[in-house]
Amino acid sequence: MSTFPFDPKSELSGNVLSGFYIDGQWVQPCSNASVSLIAPSTGQAFASVPLADTADVDKAVDAARRAFDTGPWPSMSGTERAACLQRMSAALVSRMTLLSRIWTAEVGAPLWFANMFVPTARAMFDYYAELASTFGFEESRSTRGGEAMIIRHPVGVTALIAPWNAQLPILSYKLSAALAAGCTVVVKAPPEAPLDALVVAECAHEAGLPPGVLNVITADAERGAHLVAKREVDKVSFTGSTATGKLIAKTCSDRLARVTLELGGKSAAIVLDDAELNPTLAALAPVTMPFSGQICFAQTRILVPRSREKEFIEAYSAIIGGLKVGDPWDMTTQIGPVASRRQLDRVIRYIEAGSNEGARITTGGGRSSKYDQGFFVEPTVFAGVTSEMTIAREEIFGPVVSIIAYDDVDQAVALANDTDFGLSGTVFTSDVERGYSTARRIRTGNVSVNGLEMAPNVPFGGFKQSGIGREGGPEGLSAFLEDQAIYLPAGSPRVRQE
Ligand code: NAD
């Protein structure tokens, strides 16, 4: 049996365990609704936290609306807001250990993995603090009749919704940009993994964010839909499944609320015929099923030249078959559980579909027998996969990878693009120029050559059904801004400059 060395009562405050953060205070929920948090490594409940009613959603939105319409935050200078973001960054840094432990407790991410990615939160707050203090929120352009001032206003009240898999990093991308822009925010934390967002609220409080600028509630899908539909919400920034993204886009379209969608993926790694085997595997294998494949940019389709198919399948399957599956709290574990019973059932259904449709399992292939209680799946590789098969088309969100053979680079590119998704991709080669020209032909928002990288100053997001809009970089800040042009006659005194 897996261990569970996390004690919510001693590691978390009473506020985080029993309240919502609304209008600068910890408040009691409007109803007695609650949700049990289940540790994926043991299958046992370890805490129970309140779940929002529609009245809680309404209170949070009212607070954010008031803070936007009458509070100081939207009209502060970028530099003033940057100072607050820096204080939030410091507050996050002081809680890094706790935030990693929460990630492992809630969704079973191996602790080393959580330790590696929790600092993303700090990086995003630092990046947007820096950008807010240098960004041109106001700009003058000369016109025929005089000049025009271009004012980049905050878009307004924003609803930030993120999934359970990587709550802290995803929320940090959205929240740091929204705050830097001067927006006020309602965060709807997911019922499976709400603790991270509530700890972020503690950081905001410590950093002295004005009341109502950040409001955090834990809510289910129904209350999430209520939040998205509220006319007081000017913008929704959503990360999650493509199916939910489409529903949210429909709701937003009714009142033309602004929307950014970061959705699913079915990303391809193209191994070119000149790629050296060992360095390629060393860089590729870890990004094919990070956190048991529950990361949107996982490289879940590996495209290999037919001439090297056998060699690649053997070597890659040996690596995946040798991964240590087990307790996520053990620092030597490479693959922990999947996040929930629902994920476990879903992944097993896809493995069955792969076998039924004629793909060949080279390693793994079922529930891990070592742990009865937790939600463990054997890391699984399918060979002989074709682009029509369900496992090559649908996002599995589990430790399951398909190997697809190609005959030439044109076919590899066509296969990589033969998907409704367009989130990420990689190209492996010994010729970086060739990698670059191949990468440019892939219809995805991000492609990396000989590895996989994401950086705070670089936009991230999807083509096609992987989303609309970008997060990260100046593009991610612009997503929370609304441009206003004010034309002034010649000789007018210039309006306020930053
Ligand atoms: P999901 O779409 O079921 O839920 C995501 C969030 O939306 C949750 O907080 C949920 O409570 C909420 N929600 C559900 N229905 C809603 C509705 N009608 N209105 C408002 N909110 C609603 O996704 P999931 O299963 O939690 O997460 C996995 C998915 O997220 C995968 O498809 C994965 O690819 C995607 N994802 C994408 C990125 C990215 O950056 N592109 C990153 C991580 C995960």
Side-chain angles (χ1 to χ4, degrees), residues 42 44 171 468-469:
T42 62
Q44 307 296 312
L171 180 60
I468 296 177

Side-chain angles (χ1 to χ4, degrees), residues 96-256:
M96 288 287 161
T97 305
L98 173 64
L99 288 161
S100 293
R101 290 173 61 73
I102 289 175
W103 199 351
T104 301
E106 286 179 326
V107 291
L111 190 57
W112 63 264
F113 177 90
N115 285 341
M116 200 157 90
F117 287 101
V118 155
T120 307
R122 175 212 192 151
M124 292 317 299
F125 276 87
D126 288 350
Y127 171 72
Y128 278 116
E130 168 80 32
L131 189 63
S133 53
T134 54
F135 191 77
F137 287 102
E138 296 184 12
E139 183 196 332
S140 151
R141 292 185 201 165
S142 36
T143 63
R144 205 155 37 105
E147 70 170 335
M149 290 302 300
I150 319 296
I151 321 288
R152 302 195 169 97
H153 291 284
V155 69
V157 172
T158 61
L160 309 186
I161 303 179
W164 45 262
N165 67 328
Q167 177 66 195
L168 180 73
I170 295 173
L171 180 60
S172 301
Y173 262 77
K174 295 180 188 306
L175 182 59
S176 55
L179 294 178
C183 293
T184 61
V185 173
V186 176
V187 172
K188 186 209 83 67
E192 303 87 348
L195 301 174
D196 330 44
L198 293 157
V199 171
V200 169
E202 288 192 312
C203 295
H205 197 79
E206 192 174 304
L209 213 60
V213 172
L214 171 65
N215 306 277
V216 180
I217 52 173
T218 304
D220 61 12
E222 204 178 314
R223 256 48 62 165
H226 176 72
L227 169 65
V228 168
K230 285 192 72 82
R231 59 179 284 280
E232 295 85 355
V233 172
D234 299 296
K235 154 125 197 172
V236 177
S237 179
F238 171 78
T239 298
S241 63
T242 296
T244 307
K246 287 177 184 174
L247 286 177
I248 288 176
K250 273 190 198 136
T251 306
C252 289
S253 75
D254 270 353
R255 62 181 196 287
L256 294 182

Side-chain angles (χ1 to χ4, degrees), residues 477-492:
L477 181 63
S478 297
F480 288 101
L481 295 170
E482 195 77 89
D483 292 348
Q484 179 187 41
I486 302 179
Y487 287 86
L488 297 168
S492 307

